[in-house]
Amino acid sequence: MRTRTLARLESLQDAVRGSVLLPGDAGYDQERTGFQSGDRHGPDVLVAARTPEDVRAAVDHARRRGMPLAVQATGHGLRAAAREGVLVGTRRMTGIRIDAAARTAWVEPGVRAGDLVAAAARHGLAPVNGSAPGVGVVGYTLGGGVGLLGREFGYAADLVRRLDVVTADARLRRVTAERCPDLFWGLRGGGGGLGAVTGLELGLVPVERFFGGRLVFDGGQVAEEVLRTWQEWTRSVPDTLTSAVTLLPMPDLPAVPAALRGRYLAQVHLAFTGPREEGERLVRPLREIGALLVDEVRERPYTECATVFSEPETPHAYRSSNVLLGAAGLDDGARRAVPAEAGPSAAAMCVLGVRHLGGAFSRPPEVPNAVDHRDARYLVYVLSPVPEPDRDGAVRSLHARVLAPVTGPAPARNGNFLHGPQEPATLRSVHGDETAARLERLRSAYDPQGLFRGIGRFAGPG
């Protein structure tokens, strides 16, 4: 059986500069595993791509044999594991080109946010990256991209200028607003299922330094007060300030700093691009909420932007869900009920977050794209580690209870904050009816056989 499979793969192996791996081959297990460690792909054929032509050859192989195809770079945004067909791993495609004069970057699909931040900083520029430096730039951007500077500069998808993508007919297309305008619209925020992106050009912003970091309180005492004060405070801050609140329990372990060990934390995350003196004035009401366990807010080079959230960099299994809210945000009842369900006594550890949107998030881009729900002002999300696969259903039920007080009859959601298997209705809520219908028409036109059914829709593969 393996001999016959190898014989059929000879033409693919000849066409690929990277590796072609089968189950049992050395390197197969490492290549199929991403940051989301609880969901391991199990493809029949794995192509560890090094070039756009490798990706094109893999798509052509899958197309000719009627095999489903999935793409994985870092694997942060994995929707579900691909159990068959062809998996294209793009983690080795890590090219970055900065055009300082045009304020743009060209990135391949294996580029991580931290690498792009470092490359852009050498020219006094920055991307509109997210909170975790290990996340793949391309996957994050395809899902929309809620960034640390988003209230000032918008979604990452709004800054995309050009994409190279292999469509289901195994053609490598250059996609711009003038060339393939329908694909250009759908790839920016549509979340996948339209092709395999081998590179994209995105705009950079003139940010070298920022005022920000974390304020950390004892959430066991002031969690509700932090949420209330912060939400009221967000109603008057400038668009140059992007912020969030996170509530989470810290384990009582030696690896945790003594001041935080075993506590329930309420954290405020801040990124402000204005003068330090103005930042100090803006942050003063938050510092006055109560005694601080940690105050890391100061002026920093943008290369330290990962400290705003200080998210874990070790691969692990996790699930998350979210709801988008309007200008009213969390009312008094929700500020009590949501943390109560997600707090230290919850059946599984919950990281509960609220992000402030509005500002440039609400403004339509120059060239329209598929990012929806721009009228949202807050994003409420809950994330839990899932160390045991049989806990998946219980965690999803817990998340539904946590978000129930803020989930109306027709909730809107953000694709970047949905991790793990989701109900079809949840996935549909990422886009409005008109956008969702247009995306399905595009998928039918560019992938009528459903070749890319292995790609998680409504979120990039990361």
Side-chain angles (χ1 to χ4, degrees):
M1 179 70 175
R2 184 179 172 86
T3 303
R4 290 198 300 272
T5 301
L6 287 170
R8 290 197 297 270
L9 289 177
E10 284 182 1
S11 61
L12 177 61
Q13 290 169 326
D14 290 342
V16 168
R17 283 182 55 189
S19 305
V20 177
L21 303 171
L22 299 175
D25 286 346
Y28 175 91
D29 282 344
Q30 180 180 5
E31 194 69 32
R32 68 181 173 138
T33 304
F35 187 87
Q36 171 71 282
S37 62
D39 298 282
R40 270 185 149 191
H41 292 297
D44 300 309
V45 180
L46 199 161
V47 177
R50 293 186 178 277
T51 68
E53 181 56 31
D54 287 358
V55 178
R56 195 208 64 76
V59 171
D60 191 49
H61 179 86
R63 176 182 67 89
R64 291 177 182 276
R65 288 157 183 80
M67 303 170 75
L69 183 138
V71 181
Q72 173 169 271
T74 68
H76 282 73
L78 184 64
R79 177 74 63 243
R83 304 298 186 191
E84 58 181 346
V86 178
L87 174 67
V88 182
T90 59
R91 68 179 69 181
R92 289 172 179 77
M93 298 175 66
T94 56
I96 302 175
R97 298 194 303 272
I98 305 294
D99 184 332
R103 290 183 179 172
T104 62
W106 174 261
V107 297
E108 293 185 338
V111 172
R112 298 169 188 257
D115 298 323
L116 179 56
V117 167
R122 291 193 281 272
H123 304 275
L125 299 168
V128 183
N129 58 289
S131 53
V135 167
V137 173
V138 169
Y140 157 83
T141 303
L142 295 182
V146 178
L148 296 174
L149 305 176
R151 279 179 41 80
E152 184 173 2
F153 299 107
Y155 289 94
D158 297 346
L159 279 73
V160 173
R161 310 283 181 82
R162 173 168 63 95
L163 307 99
D164 283 357
V165 57
V166 179
T167 46
D169 55 3
R171 286 180 56 192
L172 180 58
R173 302 172 187 256
R174 178 149 293 182
V175 177
T176 66
E178 297 74 33
R179 208 169 157 182
C180 296
D182 53 351
L183 269 181
F184 190 65
W185 172 85
L187 287 166
R188 296 175 304 132
L194 291 170
V197 173
T198 62
L200 63 78
E201 180 183 278
L202 70 164
L204 301 173
V205 298
V207 172
E208 296 183 70
R209 306 185 67 79
F210 74 105
F211 180 81
R214 294 186 304 161
L215 299 174
V216 184
F217 301 88
D218 186 337
Q221 298 179 14
V222 295
E224 188 179 338
E225 179 63 15
V226 168
L227 280 171
R228 186 191 65 78
T229 302
W230 171 79
Q231 184 172 279
E232 287 301 316
W233 173 83
T234 61
R235 301 191 192 284
S236 60
V237 299
D239 293 353
T240 47
L241 200 163
T242 305
S243 66
V245 167
T246 303
L247 307 178
L248 77 161
M250 294 298 287
D252 187 3
L253 296 173
V256 178
L260 308 181
R261 197 175 298 159
R263 292 180 182 267
Y264 188 60
L265 304 184
Q267 302 180 115
V268 183
H269 312 272
L270 302 153
F272 173 60
T273 60
R276 180 187 62 78
E277 296 79 7
E278 178 68 2
E280 293 283 3
R281 183 190 68 79
L282 286 167
V283 173
R284 191 175 302 123
L286 300 177
R287 284 183 165 136
E288 292 172 353
I289 291 172
L292 282 158
L293 301 176
V294 175
D295 185 343
E296 297 175 342
V297 175
R298 58 179 173 81
E299 189 170 55
R300 304 168 176 273
Y302 195 71
T303 49
E304 294 183 9
C305 62
T307 61
V308 173
F309 279 81
S310 296
E311 294 184 338
E313 298 181 25
T314 304
H316 57 287
Y318 52 94
R319 298 286 184 261
S320 73
S321 189
N322 71 87
V323 174
L324 293 165
L325 303 181
L330 294 159
D331 62 23
D332 290 343
R335 280 195 297 271
R336 289 189 295 271
V338 173
E341 196 69 55
S345 61
M349 175 188 172
C350 289
V351 178
L352 177 67
V354 187
R355 298 205 179 196
H356 185 207
L357 303 178
F361 284 123
S362 300
R363 295 193 283 272
E366 261 184 59
V367 181
N369 60 32
V371 177
D372 260 352
H373 307 312
R374 289 180 182 264
D375 57 342
R377 291 298 179 269
Y378 299 94
L379 186 155
V380 183
Y381 65 93
V382 58
L383 180 147
S384 296
V386 188
E388 298 138 14
D390 60 356
R391 293 282 296 155
D392 187 86
V395 167
R396 290 167 64 190
S397 296
L398 171 60
H399 289 180
R401 294 195 300 274
V402 169
L403 296 175
V406 292
T407 304
R413 295 181 175 87
N414 179 277
N416 284 129
F417 291 82
L418 293 174
H419 297 109
Q422 305 290 335
E423 296 295 331
T426 298
L427 296 177
R428 285 194 297 271
S429 66
V430 172
H431 295 108
D433 292 344
E434 184 178 338
T435 298
R438 184 176 174 184
L439 286 169
E440 284 307 314
R441 289 195 298 271
L442 275 177
R443 292 184 182 108
S444 296
Y446 282 96
D447 186 12
Q449 305 305 316
L451 176 77
F452 288 105
R453 59 189 180 274
I455 291 181
R457 295 183 176 174
F458 305 109

